[in-house]
Amino acid sequence: EEAPPPDLPSATPDELCPVPVWEVREFLFPGGRRAEGRAGYVWDHLDRQWRRPMSQEDLRPGLVVLLPATAGGYRPETGWDRQRTDPVEPVAAAAPPAPEEGMDDEPREEVAGAWVALSDHLVCAERQLQELVDKVKPGVEPWVRKALEAAARWHDVGKAHEVFQRALLAPLSDTERAARAGTLWAKSAVDRPLDFERRHFRHELASALALLAAPGQVHGLEGDELDLAAYLVAAHHGKVRMALRSLRGEKRPPEPGRRFARGVWDRDQLGPLQLDGDTVPELALDLGVMEAGRGPDGRRSWSERVLRLRDRLGPFVLAYLEALLRVADWKASAAESRGAGGGRGA
C-alpha cells in the first residue's frame, strides 16, 4: 500500500504495455469501487509524486499507470491480461533511466555540465536551428522560417528573469556567487535541480511574454509570424501550450488582483539584455493575454492566437516545428557541453 518513491526510474519501453482504458478501470475499480489489495499509481506532475487514482475518471487514454509486480494483469506471451494474477517478472534495464519529470523540473542539460552565458546559448541555438532548417526538404515557408529563427533567438530570454538567475546561483558560495554576478547565465555547471522561490516557475513563458512585449523593430515580427514564434518559445519544453493559467500551490503576488501564471507575475521586469549584438530594452511582462477575449487595446488573447495558428497550420505541423526548435536546443546544449558552443562569430 506504500506509494513508489518520487525518484523511481521512469518506465522503459520494455516495461510498457498498451491497455484499453476501460479494462484498466475495471481492473482497479471493479464495479466502480477501488479494489482491495490491488494498487495502481499515476504520476502527479504538480506535486511530483506517485498517487493512487481517486476514481475511474482519473484514468484516461494516454496515461501511464504503474502497477506493483504482485498485481499481475500481464502474460509474457501476449501482454495485458486482466485475468492473470501471477506476479509479473521484472525487466532488467541496461541503465536505470531518470525519474519521472515534474512540472517544476528543468531538463538535465539545463542545469549541469558547464556555465554558459545566456547570450552565447541563444546565438548557438539559432545557428543550430538554421542548419536544421537548411536540411528540411522541400523546405518551410519563408514566414515560418522567420518565426522559427526568432523563436530560437528568444527561446530562453526568460532565463534573464531574476527568479531564474537567483535559483541558478543559489547553490554557490558567497565568493563564487559574487564572481558569477554581472553575467546573465543560461546554464550552470552545478549538478542539482533548481529550487525556484516561485513554485511552478517556467522560464519559457517569461520568454514568450518578453517576445510579445518587445517592440516590433527589435524582433522584426508581426501578425502570425509573431504569434508562431511566441507559441514555439512557450512550448519548447512541452509545459506551456494552448492555455495560460495559474496552477495549484503557486506563490501569489502581494498585490490583490495582480495576474500570475506558472510562476510569472504580471508586470515582472526583464532586461535589458543583448541578443547577438542587438540591445533588448527593459520589458514589462504582460499577462493580460491570459484573459478571455481581446484586451482594452485590442490585443488578442493567448488562446485566440494559438487557435488561429492551429487552424492555419494544423496540429501536426505545429508539433513538427516544436520538434525542430527542441532539437536545435539539444544540439546547442551538446555543443556547449563539449566546449564548442561558442558565441557571436564562433
Side-chain angles (χ1 to χ4, degrees):
E1 294 298 316
E2 293 184 3
D7 59 354
L8 183 79
S10 59
T12 65
D14 287 344
E15 295 174 295
L16 294 172
C17 179
V19 183
V21 66
W22 68 269
E23 287 197 14
V24 77
R25 284 173 175 167
E26 182 61 26
F27 187 77
L28 296 177
F29 293 90
R33 295 186 177 184
R34 177 182 285 172
E36 294 295 330
R38 182 178 287 172
Y41 300 91
V42 296
W43 180 248
D44 187 325
H45 290 81
L46 293 184
D47 291 333
R48 207 182 180 285
Q49 64 181 4
W50 290 97
R51 63 172 181 83
R52 297 185 67 175
M54 300 301 295
S55 68
Q56 297 182 84
E57 286 66 37
D58 284 347
L59 302 170
R60 63 183 186 276
L63 195 66
V64 172
V65 180
L66 177 64
L67 300 179
T70 54
Y74 180 80
R75 188 181 297 274
E77 300 81 11
T78 57
W80 171 251
D81 183 347
R82 62 192 178 116
Q83 305 300 328
R84 182 90 170 193
T85 58
D86 297 347
V88 180
E89 289 295 325
V91 173
E100 292 287 345
E101 190 174 294
M103 182 60 72
D104 296 352
D105 292 341
E106 295 286 344
R108 189 174 182 84
E109 68 267 17
E110 297 290 329
V111 295
W115 286 95
V116 180
L118 178 57
S119 58
D120 289 345
H121 175 63
L122 296 175
V123 170
C124 186
E126 184 179 9
R127 185 170 64 250
Q128 295 289 349
L129 187 281
Q130 291 168 340
E131 292 177 1
L132 275 177
V133 175
D134 285 341
K135 298 174 183 178
V136 172
K137 304 299 181 185
V140 299
E141 295 181 69
W143 77 272
V144 173
R145 176 167 186 145
K146 185 176 180 181
L148 272 168
E149 292 178 351
R153 188 164 58 251
W154 285 74
H155 77 284
D156 273 353
V157 163
K159 290 183 177 181
H161 197 292
E162 60 182 3
V163 168
F164 189 93
Q165 291 298 310
R166 281 200 290 263
L168 211 61
L169 300 178
L172 305 181
S173 67
D174 291 344
T175 301
E176 293 172 318
R177 197 176 302 119
R180 296 286 177 188
T183 299
L184 293 174
W185 298 101
K187 301 177 188 295
S188 161
V190 180
D191 188 5
R192 58 174 290 181
L194 297 181
D195 184 16
F196 295 115
E197 61 195 52
R198 297 185 192 170
R199 191 181 181 200
H200 304 319
F201 177 81
R202 296 310 313 171
H203 71 269
E204 62 269 32
L205 174 57
S207 301
L209 294 176
L211 183 57
L212 292 177
Q217 62 267 28
V218 172
H219 48 61
L221 303 172
E222 59 182 5
D224 284 356
E225 294 173 349
L226 177 59
D227 292 346
L228 178 58
Y231 171 79
L232 294 174
V233 166
H236 82 272
H237 283 303
K239 297 182 179 180
V240 181
R241 281 197 174 95
M242 302 299 289
L244 301 185
R245 61 184 179 89
S246 56
L247 299 178
R248 183 180 72 242
E250 284 203 42
K251 182 179 180 180
R252 293 173 174 267
E255 304 88 348
R258 187 176 179 183
R259 301 180 187 92
F260 62 98
R262 305 298 178 92
V264 179
W265 294 354
D266 196 32
R267 303 189 303 278
D268 275 351
Q269 300 295 308
L270 204 69
L273 64 153
Q274 297 291 319
L275 283 184
D276 197 14
D278 296 327
T279 300
V280 176
E282 186 175 51
L283 303 171
L285 306 185
D286 183 3
L287 272 171
V289 292
M290 69 185 290
E291 302 284 357
R294 300 204 173 194
D297 57 357
R299 295 180 70 196
R300 291 173 291 155
S301 69
W302 180 260
S303 295
E304 183 179 352
R305 293 168 188 264
V306 297
L307 289 174
R308 176 184 171 90
L309 290 172
R310 181 204 63 184
D311 292 343
R312 178 174 180 179
L313 297 172
F316 297 103
V317 171
L318 281 178
Y320 177 68
L321 298 178
E322 283 184 39
L324 288 176
L325 178 58
R326 191 71 184 106
V327 170
D329 195 16
W330 284 339
K331 289 171 70 68
S333 296
E336 291 156 354
S337 68
R338 299 191 304 267
R344 185 179 179 93

